[in-house]
C-alpha cells in the first residue's frame, strides 16, 4: 500500500467528505442517499478515470448541509454521474450558501447545473461564496425518474481566507 501525504497551509480549506454533515435528506430521499469517501457502490472515488482524494456520493433526490465555524470564500468540486450507472441516470445539481441561521441569513442558490447524464464529461465547480458559513449540496432527478441518479462529488472543498 502506498502512503500519500498532503501538505497545505493550516486551515486554508476543509474537505467536506471528512466532515459529518449538519443535516441530510430531502423529500422522497432514499435512506442510502449519502456516501462519504467512496462511490455509491462502495468503490474507490473515481469518475471517468479521475480519482478523488475524498468524495461525497448523493443519490437523487438528496441534499446535505454543512456549517463552518468561520466564513468560507470559495467552494470547489468535480461532479458526475457515478461510473457504475454507465450511460444511464440524469440529474441537476445545485449549491446553496448562506449564513449561520437560515432565519437570519437564508440560503441562496449560487449554482445550478445543466442536466448531467451518465457518461457525460465531468462538471468542474468553482464558486465564490462571499463569506458563507452554511453550504448545501443538492441533487435532483432531471427526467422525473431516479433510476441510477447517483452523483459523485470528487474532492468537495470549502476554502477560507488566509487572513484570520
Amino acid at each position: 500500500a502506498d502512503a500519500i501525504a498532503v501538505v497545505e497551509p493550516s486551515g486554508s480549506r476543509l474537505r467536506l467528505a471528512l466532515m459529518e454533515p449538519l443535516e441530510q435528506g430531502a423529500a422522497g430521499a432514499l435512506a442510502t442517499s449519502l456516501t462519504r469517501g467512496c462511490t455509491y457502490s462502495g468503490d474507490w472515488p473515481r469518475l471517468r478515470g479521475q480519482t478523488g482524494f475524498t468524495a461525497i456520493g448523493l443519490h437523487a433526490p438528496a441534499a446535505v448541509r454543512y456549517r463552518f465555524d468561520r466564513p468560507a470564500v470559495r467552494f470547489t468540486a468535480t461532479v458526475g454521474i457515478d461510473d457504475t450507472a454507465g450511460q444511464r441516470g440524469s440529474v441537476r445539481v445545485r449549491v446553496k450558501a448562506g449564513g449561520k441561521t437560515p432565519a437570519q441569513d437564508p440560503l441562496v442558490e449560487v449554482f445550478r447545473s445543466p442536466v448531467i447524464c451518465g457518461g457525460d464529461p465531468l462538471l468542474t465547480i468553482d464558486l465564490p461564496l462571499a463569506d458563507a458559513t452554511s453550504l448545501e449540496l443538492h441533487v435532483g432527478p432531471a427526467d422525473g425518474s431516479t433510476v441510477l441518479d447517483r452523483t459523485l462529488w470528487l474532492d468537495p472543498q470549502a476554502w477560507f481566507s488566509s487572513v484570520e
Side-chain angles (χ1 to χ4, degrees):
D2 294 329
I4 298 173
V6 177
V7 179
E8 58 190 38
S10 177
S12 64
R13 65 179 163 175
L14 180 62
R15 296 178 188 275
L16 299 185
L18 302 178
M19 271 183 84
E20 194 64 39
L22 178 66
E23 294 178 37
Q24 70 185 61
L30 301 172
T32 57
S33 63
L34 172 69
T35 64
R36 292 185 345 184
C38 59
T39 66
Y40 186 75
S41 59
D43 296 320
W44 187 257
R46 187 177 182 96
L47 287 171
R48 317 284 184 278
Q50 182 175 334
T51 302
F53 184 72
T54 62
I56 295 173
L58 289 172
H59 189 298
V64 62
R65 178 184 288 185
Y66 297 92
R67 183 172 295 151
F68 312 126
D69 60 1
R70 60 189 170 130
V73 295
R74 189 170 143 220
F75 170 73
T76 60
T78 301
V79 183
I81 299 280
D82 187 328
D83 285 348
T84 61
Q87 300 296 311
R88 299 187 61 201
S90 62
V91 300
R92 283 189 193 273
V93 299
R94 297 180 298 142
V95 178
K96 292 183 177 184
K100 290 186 180 184
T101 62
Q104 294 173 340
D105 191 4
L107 297 176
V108 178
E109 186 173 279
V110 293
F111 178 79
R112 179 183 294 255
S113 76
V115 173
I116 303 169
C117 296
D120 279 358
L122 300 180
L123 176 66
T124 300
I125 300 173
D126 188 343
L127 302 171
L129 291 182
D131 295 332
T133 53
S134 290
L135 186 73
E136 279 188 1
L137 309 179
H138 293 257
V139 60
D143 62 3
S145 169
T146 60
V147 175
L148 297 173
D149 285 356
R150 307 187 286 231
T151 60
L152 193 59
W153 302 62
L154 294 180
D155 296 322
Q157 299 173 76
W159 295 78
F160 304 93
S161 173
S162 59
V163 178
E164 299 275 333

